[in-house]
Amino acid sequence: MAETDTETPRERYRTQVRAEIKEHAREQIATAGASALSLNAIAKRMGLSGPALYRYYAGRDDLITELVEDAYRSLADTLHAAAASGPDPRALAHAMRGWALEDPQRYLLIYGTPVPGYHAPDHVTVIANELMTTLLDACSATLPDGPVTPLDTHLANHRHWAADHPASPAVLHRALTFWTRLHGVLSLELAGHFAGMGFDPALLFAAELEDLLTDGGDPPTDHR
Amino acid sequence: MAETDTETPRERYRTQVRAEIKEHAREQIATAGASALSLNAIAKRMGLSGPALYRYYAGRDDLITELVEDAYRSLADTLHAAAASGPDPRALAHAMRGWALEDPQRYLLIYGTPVPGYHAPDHVTVIANELMTTLLDACSATLPDGPVTPLDTHLANHRHWAADHPASPAVLHRALTFWTRLHGVLSLELAGHFAGMGFDPALLFAAELEDLLTDGGDPPTDHR
DNA sequence: GCCGTTCGTTATAAGTTGTAACGCTCGTAA
DNA sequence: TTACGAGCGTTACAACTTATAACGAACGGC
């Protein structure tokens, strides 16, 4: 940030108002979901009239896209910080769960129901790749590398998504299951599907995590 | 009136129009997502004007609720049929994936991002319980019952959701992981998060399924 | 101090959900 | 067969929404 002195007052004001708009949008999404986000409501809450917001965001989609990008950025930073604290993937997993529970709608903004026509801009995919990299790093540490499964050989030939990462196919496989299993528990918990069941989702999450970390030593017999 | 074994013409017409409305709604949701569902658009497509639909559905929420209920019913029937074909949970899993891929938005209508304020009516929870029962049945078949994990003991004390099902805590645990792991792969696939990665989601799904079925014999050493 | 960019405003268009009031139609019952 | 009434579809309206256009005012760089 060496060149912040070149910021004109106009630019400073603009970025501040944009931040304030996003703040209200976040609050609104957290309480009523992304589908209920209303530019008009935000404007009224900020003391100005509807069309004024279009000076700052091209439209509803533009605002939501930036919120998605911020969410990705926040998750990437959180996981990166957790991974930096040590080589144990447990820290990463618990950081992920904590981040998700902190604001469920923010997690669902990334991993929830997508709009069929929508395509994420490049910024987002870049951060998603960064996320994948920290996950691969964490999964590279602890692994005895058991026998090769059919999926492993397939991933060896389709590692486009981890092109520049020096990870074995088994690590790719491990990272994917790490992702999908934790997301499986987490998304169902956040969506409220465990609500009436009575058990503690944290224990299910912990059990899945332990299974992920201990299961590597003795892979399943590949009969088929 | 007392013995209306045959419905009146009015009732027949009514149910037919309701079905036609739902048909258009399904199509619309499948292509543009549930958030883009418009009663007005449906009405125009059916050749009648907006408010006419309110004779058949109290509102947008009412229509969506019935679509959710239908989706649950369809999934429950599909899984029940698959489970009836044999004791192998593989059939159930592949039936689930096939059902989801057949209409992704329908799957996401059930398991996708929920609206914070919304509470599902009793019909839905009843079908959800039915779903859980067939899953528990399928998981009861093949299981060597390894050592008891912390989650197992917790589930033994919190089996409210499977009160009338004679399943061991290990089976409850197995059913939950069956659900969460398959949903983890499936939901990420349907949401398009595997899109740019290049590998085949079907293989990841199959690998998770095989791991679920073979991992039971040698449970992880519970160190901690 | 001027002048132009930027901002916020009101007005407007085209949508949406949902209610109200008015006829028409059709089935039922006498 | 006729008459009645429930149900259906209509238009009109209210209260929203997103989004654009045009106007005026304020603010900052020069």
Side-chain angles (χ1 to χ4, degrees):
Chain A
M1 291 121 191
E3 334 262 340
T4 47
D5 52 349
T6 66
E7 236 184 349
T8 76
R10 275 260 159 86
E11 286 173 342
R12 224 178 327 170
Y13 179 72
R14 182 177 178 80
T15 59
Q16 193 212 328
V17 172
R18 278 176 70 100
E20 191 177 348
I21 292 173
K22 280 202 291 189
E23 194 54 42
H24 285 270
R26 263 189 289 268
E27 183 183 338
Q28 205 169 317
I29 284 182
T31 61
S35 62
L37 193 150
S38 161
L39 293 186
N40 247 323
I42 295 176
K44 275 178 188 165
R45 238 175 171 174
M46 289 178 65
L48 35 88
S49 276
L53 292 198
Y54 288 82
R55 297 281 177 195
Y56 301 95
Y57 288 97
R60 220 184 83 110
D61 290 1
D62 207 51
L63 176 55
I64 289 185
T65 294
E66 192 159 313
L67 289 172
V68 169
E69 194 178 328
D70 285 0
Y72 262 112
R73 180 78 272 149
S74 170
L75 178 57
D77 290 347
T78 299
L79 295 193
H80 190 77
S85 69
D88 190 357
R90 265 172 272 250
L92 201 150
H94 286 123
M96 181 171 174
R97 182 158 190 270
W99 185 87
L101 291 179
E102 187 181 306
D103 186 350
Q105 289 293 327
R106 185 178 52 175
Y107 182 93
L108 295 170
L109 204 58
I110 296 180
Y111 293 114
T113 305
V115 176
Y118 182 77
H119 280 294
D122 289 344
H123 312 98
V124 168
T125 62
V126 166
I127 308 181
N129 287 345
E130 182 185 329
L131 257 168
M132 211 65 220
T133 298
T134 70
L135 180 55
L136 283 169
D137 287 339
C139 289
S140 296
T142 62
L143 187 71
D145 263 39
V148 178
T149 71
L151 177 59
D152 289 346
T153 65
H154 176 74
L155 289 177
N157 296 331
H158 298 82
R159 48 181 305 152
H160 167 71
W161 50 284
D164 54 349
H165 196 286
S168 68
V171 169
L172 300 182
H173 183 171
R174 196 166 205 65
L176 284 180
T177 59
F178 196 90
W179 183 22
T180 61
R181 288 189 192 178
L182 297 187
H183 167 75
V185 179
L186 214 39
S187 68
L188 287 176
E189 176 183 2
L190 297 180
H193 282 97
F194 299 153
M197 303 184 100
F199 68 87
D200 184 4
L203 293 181
L204 181 55
F205 184 86
E208 282 295 86
L209 178 55
E210 291 307 315
D211 193 57
L212 273 167
L213 297 178
T214 59
D215 189 19
D218 44 356
T221 56
D222 181 47
H223 64 85
R224 179 159 78 153
Chain B
M1 287 271 210
E3 317 219 335
T4 57
D5 51 349
T6 69
E7 21 178 355
T8 75
R10 276 263 158 85
E11 285 172 344
R12 223 178 326 168
Y13 179 72
R14 181 175 179 79
T15 60
Q16 193 213 327
V17 173
R18 279 176 69 100
E20 192 177 348
I21 292 173
K22 279 202 290 189
E23 195 54 42
H24 285 269
R26 264 189 289 267
E27 183 183 339
Q28 203 169 320
I29 284 181
T31 62
S35 61
L37 192 151
S38 161
L39 293 185
N40 246 324
I42 293 175
K44 275 179 187 164
R45 242 179 173 170
M46 290 178 66
L48 36 89
S49 278
L53 292 199
Y54 289 82
R55 297 278 178 199
Y56 301 94
Y57 289 97
R60 220 183 83 109
D61 290 2
D62 207 50
L63 176 55
I64 289 185
T65 293
E66 192 159 315
L67 290 172
V68 169
E69 194 177 328
D70 285 358
Y72 261 112
R73 178 77 274 146
S74 171
L75 178 58
D77 290 347
T78 300
L79 295 193
H80 190 77
S85 70
D88 191 357
R90 265 172 272 252
L92 202 151
H94 286 124
M96 182 170 174
R97 182 160 189 270
W99 185 87
L101 291 179
E102 188 181 305
D103 186 349
Q105 289 294 327
R106 185 179 51 175
Y107 182 93
L108 294 170
L109 204 59
I110 297 179
Y111 294 113
T113 305
V115 176
Y118 182 77
H119 280 293
D122 289 345
H123 312 100
V124 169
T125 61
V126 166
I127 307 180
N129 286 345
E130 181 184 330
L131 258 168
M132 209 65 220
T133 298
T134 70
L135 180 55
L136 283 169
D137 286 339
C139 289
S140 296
T142 62
L143 186 72
D145 264 41
V148 179
T149 71
L151 178 60
D152 289 347
T153 64
H154 176 74
L155 290 176
N157 295 331
H158 299 83
R159 49 179 306 150
H160 168 69
W161 50 283
D164 53 349
H165 196 285
S168 68
V171 169
L172 301 183
H173 182 172
R174 194 166 206 67
L176 284 180
T177 60
F178 196 90
W179 182 21
T180 62
R181 288 189 192 179
L182 297 188
H183 167 75
V185 178
L186 213 40
S187 67
L188 287 176
E189 177 184 4
L190 297 179
H193 286 281
F194 299 153
M197 304 184 98
F199 68 88
D200 184 4
L203 293 180
L204 180 55
F205 185 86
E208 282 295 85
L209 179 56
E210 290 308 316
D211 193 57
L212 272 166
L213 296 179
T214 59
D215 188 21
D218 45 356
T221 56
D222 182 46
H223 64 84
R224 178 156 88 141

